[in-house]
Amino acid sequence: DVKVTQSSRYLVKRTGEKVFLECVQDMDHENMFWYRQDPGLGLRLIYFSYDVKMKEKGDIPEGYSVSREKKERFSLILESASTNQTSMYLCASSHPSKGQETQYFGPGTRLLVL
Amino acid sequence: AQSVTQLGSHVSVSEGALVLLRCNYSSSVPPYLFWYVQYPNQGLQLLLKYTTGATLVKGINGFEAEFKKSETSFHLTKPSAHMSDAAEYFCAVSAGNTGKLIFGQGTTLQVKP
């Protein structure tokens, strides 16, 4: 079974703090993704990565950065957390298959910024 | 560019009734289409997907969806709802060959006893 794990299920941070969200997958997938999920907006792509040390901006990258130093690990960084970054964050991974690939999701991290 | 619209943010059915969740897409290329389900406090998991071939796609837990090109639709159905089907459902379209997905807004399914 594919397993995608996220470092925390719930996180409470203060405005201005630097926040790290970690994601690890165990299926040697090349592709990894970070989304945020908000009610009524579905999932929106923040960043994705096709390979180690490669990253591309998604639809809403402002206020976020990412790091992929190892194939299995993809980190999302909030440089200076703000209240409008309170959300559910979902990590996913997939093996490239010309658009037909299934994405496998972690359980999510619910972040509250006070 | 691709986009997805799910009609109805909340759908409520009685146990044993037909489930119909609506999804319409827009795509400039032949689409690959997906339905994912999210149970409470969990991540998303794949229900079914359409890539090529048969337009009626069967998925897990008795769900199926039909790709209708003329209507640009990919509606999800299940003949008889179970209480365990209560969840949020997301329709998605593949953004070309990039591996990225474009998700709809989601539909919350409530199943009443």
Side-chain angles (χ1 to χ4, degrees):
Chain A
D1 271 358
V2 176
K3 193 162 187 182
V4 180
T5 57
Q6 296 184 228
S7 51
S8 304
R9 293 300 302 272
Y10 301 94
L11 213 50
V12 180
K13 295 293 181 181
R14 297 271 179 203
T15 302
E17 282 192 77
K18 191 169 186 176
V19 181
F20 293 87
L21 303 182
E22 305 284 340
C23 175
V24 178
Q25 51 94 3
D26 66 357
M27 281 301 291
D28 203 35
H29 284 165
E30 287 83 354
N31 298 341
M32 295 189 76
F33 307 84
W34 275 107
Y35 297 91
R36 65 176 282 175
Q37 180 182 6
D38 300 288
L41 298 178
L43 276 70
R44 294 179 291 167
L45 183 64
I46 304 172
Y47 269 97
F48 61 104
S49 169
Y50 289 134
D51 203 347
V52 176
K53 297 192 184 295
M54 294 185 68
K55 60 185 179 184
E56 292 196 30
K57 293 180 180 179
D59 300 316
I60 52 165
E62 296 78 18
Y64 304 94
S65 62
V66 290
S67 172
R68 193 165 180 200
E69 296 296 319
K70 293 185 178 181
K71 190 174 185 180
E72 68 271 17
R73 187 180 297 269
F74 192 35
S75 302
L76 180 69
I77 303 154
L78 286 64
E79 296 290 343
S80 177
S82 63
T83 55
N84 63 12
Q85 293 178 310
T86 291
S87 187
M88 169 73 96
Y89 291 88
L90 291 165
C91 175
S93 71
S94 68
H95 179 71
S97 186
K98 299 183 179 179
Q100 303 181 40
E101 55 265 48
T102 298
Q103 290 190 13
Y104 296 87
F105 284 81
T109 295
R110 193 169 293 279
L111 173 66
L112 173 63
V113 182
L114 300 174
Chain B
Q2 289 81 13
S3 66
V4 174
T5 302
Q6 292 183 237
L7 301 175
S9 58
H10 287 86
V11 171
S12 182
V13 301
S14 297
E15 194 172 19
L18 171 73
V19 175
L20 171 61
L21 304 183
R22 299 178 187 273
C23 173
N24 287 90
Y25 70 90
S26 171
S27 179
S28 55
V29 297
Y32 300 135
L33 295 158
F34 303 76
W35 275 101
Y36 283 82
V37 61
Q38 184 181 33
Y39 298 106
N41 297 315
Q42 295 186 26
L44 279 68
Q45 64 181 88
L46 182 71
L47 266 181
L48 49 81
K49 63 181 176 181
Y50 168 77
T51 54
T52 56
T55 56
L56 182 63
V57 181
K58 295 187 184 298
I60 61 172
N61 301 336
F63 284 92
E64 62 183 35
E66 187 171 11
F67 169 60
K68 292 187 176 181
K69 184 178 179 181
S70 61
E71 299 177 8
T72 61
S73 69
F74 191 55
H75 301 331
L76 182 71
T77 61
K78 182 174 180 178
S80 176
H82 294 166
M83 297 296 292
S84 60
D85 294 327
E88 190 160 18
Y89 292 80
F90 292 93
C91 182
V93 64
S94 185
N97 292 336
T98 65
K100 293 188 291 182
L101 292 175
I102 309 299
F103 284 89
Q105 303 91 323
T107 298
T108 299
L109 176 65
Q110 179 188 24
V111 182
K112 298 177 291 186

